[in-house]
Amino acid sequence: MTLDKNFDPAAIEARWYEHWETKGLFRPDRKEAEPYTIVNPPPNVTGSLHIGHALDNTLQDIIIRHERLKGKDALWVVGMDHAGIATQMVVERQMEERQDKRTNYTREEFVEKVWEWKEESGGTITKQLRRLGCSMDWSNERFTMDEGMNEAVLKVFVDLYNDGLIYRDKRLVNWDPALKTAISDLEVETTDIKGHFWHFKYPLADGVTLDDGRDYIEVATTRPETMLADMAVAVHPKDERYTSVIGKEILQPITGRRFKIVADEHADPELGSGAVKITPGHDFNDFEVGKRAGFAAGEMLNMLDGEANVCQTTDGLVPDEYLGLHRFKKDGVKGARELVVQRLKELGCLISHVSKNKDGEPVEHDAEPRTIATPFGDRGGVVIEPWLTDQWYVDAETLAQPAIKAVRDGSIEIVPKSWEKTWFNWMENIQPWCVSRQLWWGHQIPAWFDQEGKIYVAKDEDEAQAQAGDGVVLTRDPDVLDTWFSSALWPFGTLGWPGDMVEESASGEPVEPRLWDEQHPSTSSGLTAKPKPGSDLERHYPNDLLISGFDILFFWDARMAMQGIQFMKDVPWKRLYLHGLVRAEDGSKMSKSKGNVVDPLGLIEQYGADALRFFMAAMESQGRDIKMDDKRVEGYRNFATKLWNASRFCEANGIGASQTLAAPKASLPVNRWIVSEVVETQQALDKALTDLRFDAAANTIYHFTWDRFCDWYLELIKPILQSGKDSAAPSSAGAESVEASISDENGPSTSSGQADTTKAELAETKQVAGWVLDQIIVMLHPFMPFITEELWHAMGARNYDLIVAKWPEPKAEIDADAKAEVDWLIKLISEVRSTKVELNIAPGTKMTAHVRDGDDHLQAKVVRQNAALDRVGRLEAISFDPAPEGASAQIVVDGATYVLPLAGAIDIDAEKTRLNKALEASQKEAKSLSGRLGNPNFVEKAKPEAVEKARADLADKEAEAERLQAAIDRLD
């Protein structure tokens, strides 16, 4: 196979992915090998690939491909989340387009329609993950509502209930009035909106007055409509203004409800009047104050229905004119908020806000303008209402304790370690987890109620009926479980739990499995449950690694830890890696409203999946977010092209696939050097991947490939390859064309002074070059799987595909002498090239060098590297005799001075004039920038990015001036 002249990612990506998947290469049969496991955070079945997915899945694929190449039974579990709210919304919207609606169907009929939608339209993201190159085990793709996961969910719910770890309670939830369901904190987006801050008088009852004589307490609120359900006013216990009235009563002006003034540290004496109205049924902070004041949740007043319209409270004190109104203005119609303000104003209970107009005159307003952080549902799009309802809760505090211990004792390693503090802080202050949702699509809660409200929890209705007894009429709870409940079981539910669990007696003997509905084994039973020998559950639990965005640390990662330890008696994964967010180029968060969202598929179309993947890896630095930069993605596409052209050069020069895993024997310093570089690169790469330093890993293979192999090794062996061609036959035009495409910046050599190359040296060089290219292809494969698989097969016949090849095992030592010699050669050539640039000498100009302070060892190196110095360094001779009189440039390498006579190379006077003029300009610009940065007004008032740019420009100009001065000094 001959490589095409141009690298075209689109031409190879789809072909190779289909090949890998069809051949089952993502999960080769390695049952005897050491297992390695990652579970993929299941994306929503409704979702499409976004840039965060691209980062998360690229990092996982790098690790899993690396472990697969190391010969492990590498399993990357893949699947989708049923996404209760999102999926139900999609299907309901499609119904609306057909003038249809969910309530026209029974629950069973609607759920069937959702399954039909999933089969026809769901799972777009799985096709997109393939575009990215994700080597997941698609043959065992899972779904959070498939039969196995459904069994796991039911068992977990029943067992937790029987253990007293799931219960039903009345508490505040985030209620979405548009979707008419409770939602999680993750589904709440806080947005700053322009609102108002009203101040009202709350009359003191029974003739009581404050110490200053006022017969009211001033309260302030951004939500005046909630006063219809007020149950207290709170003041700080040490606030002397209110000490005398603590325990006295308020007479609420609109409802006539009497309630007490309570002491609570929630009230801040420094904020407003220091007094806070308390509505326990509609505010999370007030709920806690209410509990401390002695109100049971069942006693707290609720004034809104599921659509956020005013309803009557249990004490019947909401006036009729408010009933049925929306909580605030909606669709142009005034709501309860507007009416409350109007009535309180009429009652003389509104305290006006006074401002001044442009003439300085006081102006009264009903309220103070405020920007208010307001919670919205991310899907319903309306303001979230804290709402008091009966829901199902998990006792997260109890489940959290083993998960806290697991991180403390190192059973779970969190990377970066700095996230441990966040883990502990959240877990140690964890609240009950609301797991019920008011939807039809999802895992329906396995609970039934009799006519007295007694609860029966069982795996199915027959068992619930058996618990209740014959003749008892049961009704199933219509709610479904939070999507995160099922995904919390992902590390073990996807591996065969509970079906692949077996029980053993204390002696280790297997016993007959008990009925499904019996509680999971406990120490009191004398039995223990273990994964079935040889099962995936035994081999792959606990997982080795979880890679996750930090934004789902609490919603998914922590809950997996809690459930995994509870049901498997072991952690779900040994390491947890938390990566940052991908931000816009300016560092801002991407959002559709800002128009700065980047489509990863668009980047793949433009630059190829390999380039995007490498960008993600190279930019992923622990503890930091990534700034999107199309230019860098383009740069990594150029990197792929560089490797492609280097491979074409090798192909054109008879360099092909290596036949050995170990490094070939080498005698020439340049070959011993490159073998040493491979050894060092592989060691650094393995360490970086082990440490999950993706940026270090990517940069390691990048610099070895580009700098050491392409820019230097191939250049340094050209004289050897050319000598071999000259002794064999004229080189082909094709080979000359490929050689030009990869490089020699100085143009083709015309030297006839190359050292003779023996056939053995030529054969050795080709063998080493082919081996090194193979090592690059293998080491780069986890980052750039498509181009590397293409090159792997292009370079020669292979017994297996690259994806299941073997990770490098050079079995070679680092050759210090060869490294020192070739590093000297590179430094010398680099210094010569830099000098030419500084002095405006054409790159291809041949020069001579005279060495001062040289020794026999240096002379021997010069002789050995004569061909490379001539062809690559454009030094046609290196003499150890004194340099002739006249202008010269001097460079120092490893303690020896090399004098380069300049006579005939440049017009020295003209060059001095040019350099002095450029130096003057650089110094002038540097002085101007320094003056600007020395101005406090600029530094303090300019945009931070403008100040940073000025500092960077100053550093550049100062460095440029130093380089120019050095060049002038060379000519003196």
Side-chain angles (χ1 to χ4, degrees), residues 167 169-173 223 229 231-232 234 262 264 266 276-302 386-390 393 431-432:
Y167 57 91
D169 195 11
K170 186 183 290 291
R171 295 176 62 92
L172 280 184
V173 297
R223 302 179 66 209
M231 298 184 71
V262 299
D264 195 285
H266 170 65
V276 184
K277 61 185 280 303
I278 301 299
T279 318
H282 292 282
D283 183 275
F284 288 102
N285 290 322
D286 290 4
F287 180 78
E288 299 301 326
V289 174
K291 288 199 299 183
R292 290 193 291 270
F295 295 111
E299 300 171 330
M300 297 177 184
L301 299 176
N302 178 33
W387 204 46
L388 195 62
T389 62
D390 291 307
Y393 290 88
Q431 297 298 306

Side-chain angles (χ1 to χ4, degrees), residues 149-190:
M149 285 299 295
N150 188 54
E151 182 184 2
V153 167
L154 287 174
K155 180 166 177 57
V156 166
F157 189 96
V158 173
D159 284 358
L160 288 177
Y161 179 81
N162 290 334
D163 283 347
L165 295 172
I166 277 186
Y167 57 91
R168 193 165 170 81
D169 195 11
K170 186 183 290 291
R171 295 176 62 92
L172 280 184
V173 297
N174 295 310
W175 185 262
D176 189 318
L179 303 177
K180 293 186 278 296
T181 181
I183 62 174
S184 71
D185 291 342
L186 184 64
E187 294 157 322
V188 176
E189 294 180 344
T190 300

Side-chain angles (χ1 to χ4, degrees), residues 632-922:
R632 290 200 69 153
V633 181
E634 183 180 10
Y636 294 126
R637 159 65 190 267
N638 295 340
F639 170 58
T641 301
K642 179 91 168 180
L643 178 60
W644 184 270
N645 288 335
S647 301
R648 290 182 61 238
F649 170 82
C650 290
E651 187 180 59
N653 283 276
I655 298 168
S658 175
Q659 302 302 314
T660 174
L661 190 61
K665 297 294 183 184
S667 59
L668 294 176
V670 69
N671 291 329
R672 288 155 42 212
W673 165 76
I674 197 64
V675 168
S676 298
E677 291 288 319
V678 169
V679 172
E680 286 188 338
T681 298
Q682 187 234 327
Q683 292 173 351
L685 186 56
D686 276 337
K687 183 179 188 308
L689 289 175
T690 299
D691 294 342
L692 301 175
R693 296 304 308 240
F694 293 95
D695 53 346
N699 288 328
T700 294
I701 187 60
Y702 176 91
H703 287 297
F704 172 70
T705 303
W706 189 300
D707 301 341
R708 311 307 264 176
F709 182 72
C710 294
D711 279 359
W712 284 110
Y713 180 69
L714 294 185
E715 288 298 314
L716 294 174
I717 66 171
K718 280 180 181 177
I720 300 172
L721 299 176
Q722 188 61 47
S723 178
K725 286 181 182 178
D726 291 345
S727 63
S731 63
S732 69
E736 291 173 0
S737 172
V738 173
E739 181 174 331
S741 74
I742 65 162
S743 107
D744 190 351
E745 66 179 64
N746 300 303
S749 171
T750 57
S751 170
S752 59
Q754 297 172 346
D756 291 336
T757 300
T758 67
K759 289 182 178 180
E761 290 172 338
L762 178 62
E764 171 194 305
T765 299
K766 286 185 176 182
Q767 190 177 18
V768 169
W771 178 83
V772 174
L773 181 56
D774 268 8
Q775 309 315 297
I776 289 172
I777 290 171
V778 175
M779 290 190 287
L780 188 58
H781 179 73
F783 305 88
M784 291 182 148
F786 294 111
I787 186 175
T788 51
E789 188 75 75
E790 181 78 3
L791 295 177
W792 175 257
H793 289 278
M795 297 311 296
R798 306 288 188 174
N799 295 324
Y800 39 74
D801 290 302
L802 174 60
I803 191 173
V804 289
K806 296 180 180 178
W807 190 249
E809 294 179 19
K811 297 179 181 176
E813 299 295 326
I814 294 172
D815 190 322
D817 291 338
K819 275 182 62 64
E821 180 164 328
V822 178
D823 285 345
W824 159 81
L825 177 64
I826 290 171
K827 281 188 282 186
L828 177 56
I829 293 173
S830 298
E831 287 292 332
V832 170
R833 288 175 174 175
S834 295
T835 299
K836 286 181 176 180
V837 171
E838 288 174 2
L839 300 179
N840 206 26
I841 299 172
T845 302
K846 287 293 188 86
M847 302 186 75
T848 58
H850 296 263
V851 184
R852 291 204 305 259
D853 310 316
D855 55 17
D856 293 344
H857 178 63
L858 178 58
Q859 290 190 43
K861 286 195 294 187
V862 168
V863 171
R864 284 194 297 270
Q865 300 301 333
N866 180 58
L869 289 167
D870 180 20
R871 172 170 179 131
V872 184
R874 289 298 186 264
L875 288 174
E876 57 186 351
I878 294 184
S879 169
F880 285 79
D881 296 330
E885 295 295 326
S888 64
Q890 297 184 19
I891 55 179
V892 178
V893 176
D894 293 348
T897 301
Y898 299 81
V899 181
L900 305 176
L902 298 176
I906 54 171
D907 183 329
I908 295 173
D909 290 336
E911 184 59 20
K912 281 186 178 181
T913 301
R914 183 189 71 80
L915 290 171
N916 278 299
K917 186 176 180 180
L919 176 62
E920 185 179 344
S922 294

Side-chain angles (χ1 to χ4, degrees), residues 514-531:
R514 294 181 291 169
L515 293 177
W516 182 94
D517 59 320
E518 292 191 51
Q519 206 170 332
H520 60 81
S522 62
T523 52
S524 61
S525 70
L527 299 174
T528 57
K530 294 183 178 179

Side-chain angles (χ1 to χ4, degrees), residues 375-410:
F376 285 81
D378 66 346
R379 298 190 185 278
V382 300
V383 176
I384 292 304
E385 184 64 43
W387 204 46
L388 195 62
T389 62
D390 291 307
Q391 303 282 349
W392 289 92
Y393 290 88
V394 170
D395 179 2
E397 183 180 1
T398 298
L399 292 178
Q401 301 314 306
I404 293 171
K405 181 177 181 295
V407 174
R408 288 202 191 281
D409 67 19

